[in-house]
Amino acid sequence: MTQPKRIAVTGAAGQICYSLLFRIANGDVYGKDTPVALQLLDLPQAQKAVKGVVMELEDCAFPLLQDVVITDDPKAAFRDIDAGFFVGSRPRTQGMERRDLLNANAEIFRVQGEALNEGAKRDAKVIVVGNPANTNAMILAANAKDFPTENITAMLRLDHNRALTQFAQKAGVSVDAIAKFVVWGNHSPTMFADWTNATADGKPLAEVIGDEAWYKETLIPTVAKRGTAIIEARGASSAASAANAAIDHMRDWIKGSDGDWVSMGVSSDGSYGIPEGLMAGVPVVCEGGAYKRVTGLEIGPFQRQMLDRTVAELSEEREAVSALL
Ligand code: NAI
């Protein structure tokens, strides 16, 4: 019998995982021919709630779900894993400064980085979803000294997917007609949704839409503020769409992106003026279980300005957590 893929998921009692775990168990990441085993991590006080979620997983009778481990120990959660979804993180509470939030999460991801280093397979694929996702991913990588940094990524895919639908609606095409779109930089309101190279059914997207003012004044801020708009409308933050984006990110990385670009937060190699080591959203193409950065793009003045803004924020975040790097 095929060995199951072992998948760690942190923050298992949280709202994103209430969608994510069921999708993974259904075969949405590795496909319908690959059994999976879940290794669920959450805090000690959340263990009872995780057990409740696992009861529901059992009640789905997923044929591919072979084993579930519940733990509050990162070392047990990351042992022998093929993939890790790092969703759990410390939310911002009232009165908490941004720097305090960065530091509280930095400590969580330092501990988890050491555990990942100790137990995970060297070819395991890791996505960090928990915010601040980019900087958390950078800390994870810095503290997993013998684990390949290129296997640690941060999630920009929700921003990417959000923009795709806005473009498709404006252009009157289906979302899969749009190609070569990217979200650069930080998963934060400074992110840069860049349509410069994008096409709709093979034609330049900017020409198809023909409304640059809409792109700059409506699309970019709409995508940047979408998370807040969802909280206002739903009374809770985006969860199912975040889980879906994490699935898309991991599935494309494993199975390939059919030659199209996808946005992934990866450790910068210094290209496009992004300082080396920052975990920044860039365009990549996935093939054969690996991602390749899209290289050699020309960056125009508007792109430069937008890229510099989001990269400056990432640099500030790195500065704030420098003690743990
Ligand atoms: P939630 O608050 O419902 O769940 C978070 C879970 O993480 C809780 O069960 C909590 O006990 C657990 N947790 C906290 N510290 C932990 C630790 N050290 N180890 C293991 N588990 C821990 O939050 P939700 O809605 O599920 O969101 C999770 C994270 O994802 C948040 O940081 C959120 O801001 C982020 N997010 C990121 C997105 C992105 O595009 N990168 C999109 C949407 C959310």
Side-chain angles (χ1 to χ4, degrees):
M1 192 177 190
T2 324
Q3 281 292 314
K5 295 290 182 189
R6 304 204 75 84
I7 304 167
V9 186
T10 77
Q15 48 150 6
I16 292 177
C17 288
Y18 193 62
S19 177
L20 179 64
L21 298 177
F22 297 83
R23 299 278 307 270
I24 298 171
N26 191 45
D28 291 1
V29 175
Y30 281 97
K32 299 285 182 192
D33 52 356
T34 307
V36 292
L38 291 171
Q39 305 193 167
L40 307 179
L41 179 72
D42 209 308
L43 298 172
Q45 61 269 31
Q47 295 294 294
K48 188 173 167 217
V50 179
K51 288 193 181 99
V53 178
V54 172
M55 286 161 74
E56 286 206 66
L57 281 166
E58 289 168 358
D59 294 349
C60 293
F62 288 117
L64 294 171
L65 184 58
Q66 285 204 351
D67 186 24
V68 183
V69 173
I70 303 172
T71 181
D72 60 7
D73 174 7
K75 288 183 182 166
F78 305 146
R79 197 166 292 140
D80 292 329
I81 56 166
D82 299 284
F85 291 79
F86 286 64
V87 181
S89 71
R90 172 85 190 272
R92 194 168 189 156
T93 41
Q94 222 176 2
M96 204 176 189
E97 295 292 328
R98 185 165 171 80
R99 186 169 281 263
D100 300 333
L101 180 76
L102 278 162
N103 278 309
N105 279 296
E107 183 53 25
I108 291 172
F109 283 82
R110 181 188 66 76
V111 172
Q112 293 187 356
E114 288 173 5
L116 181 77
N117 195 46
E118 195 176 303
K121 289 183 185 155
R122 295 302 93 165
D123 60 354
K125 292 178 163 57
V126 169
I127 176 175
V128 176
V129 175
N131 279 320
N134 300 56
T135 294
N136 287 343
M138 184 179 61
I139 292 163
L140 194 72
N143 289 283
K145 304 242 178 271
D146 311 311
F147 186 84
T149 296
E150 67 264 26
N151 287 4
I152 296 179
T153 61
M155 185 162 99
L156 270 295
R157 187 61 175 262
L158 181 56
D159 313 300
H160 182 105
N161 287 349
R162 283 169 171 167
L164 280 186
T165 298
Q166 300 296 320
F167 283 131
Q169 287 176 353
K170 182 80 175 168
V173 298
S174 70
V175 281
D176 54 6
I178 297 171
K180 291 193 168 179
F181 164 70
V182 61
V183 178
W184 299 90
N186 203 3
H187 167 67
S188 86
T190 67
M191 76 187 80
F192 172 36
D194 182 9
W195 75 351
T196 310
N197 298 283
T199 57
D201 288 322
K203 295 180 224 93
L205 180 62
E207 278 175 30
V208 173
I209 289 179
D211 189 347
E212 194 170 343
W214 171 83
Y215 165 64
K216 288 186 174 166
E217 288 153 31
T218 304
L219 181 281
I220 293 177
T222 297
V223 175
K225 293 185 207 145
R226 186 71 166 180
T228 309
I230 285 171
I231 292 172
E232 274 165 20
R234 202 173 88 85
S237 60
S238 19
S241 55
N244 178 69
I247 297 270
D248 282 355
H249 175 119
M250 205 57 116
R251 184 208 51 230
D252 284 354
W253 191 359
I254 292 163
K255 301 269 182 195
S257 63
D258 291 330
D260 193 13
W261 298 8
V262 285
S263 307
M264 282 171 72
V266 303
S267 184
S268 177
D269 60 359
S271 53
Y272 300 120
I274 305 170
E276 211 174 324
L278 287 183
M279 202 59 80
V282 295
V284 302
V285 174
C286 301
E287 200 187 334
Y291 63 82
K292 263 200 215 123
R293 294 172 181 82
V294 177
T295 56
L297 298 172
E298 273 183 37
I299 303 293
F302 177 69
Q303 289 171 292
R304 186 74 270 155
Q305 186 196 334
M306 296 298 282
L307 241 167
D308 286 351
R309 188 176 70 132
T310 189
V311 165
E313 186 183 43
L314 284 172
S315 294
E316 277 167 31
E317 290 186 9
R318 173 155 74 179
E319 185 52 39
V321 298
S322 55
L324 291 174
L325 295 170

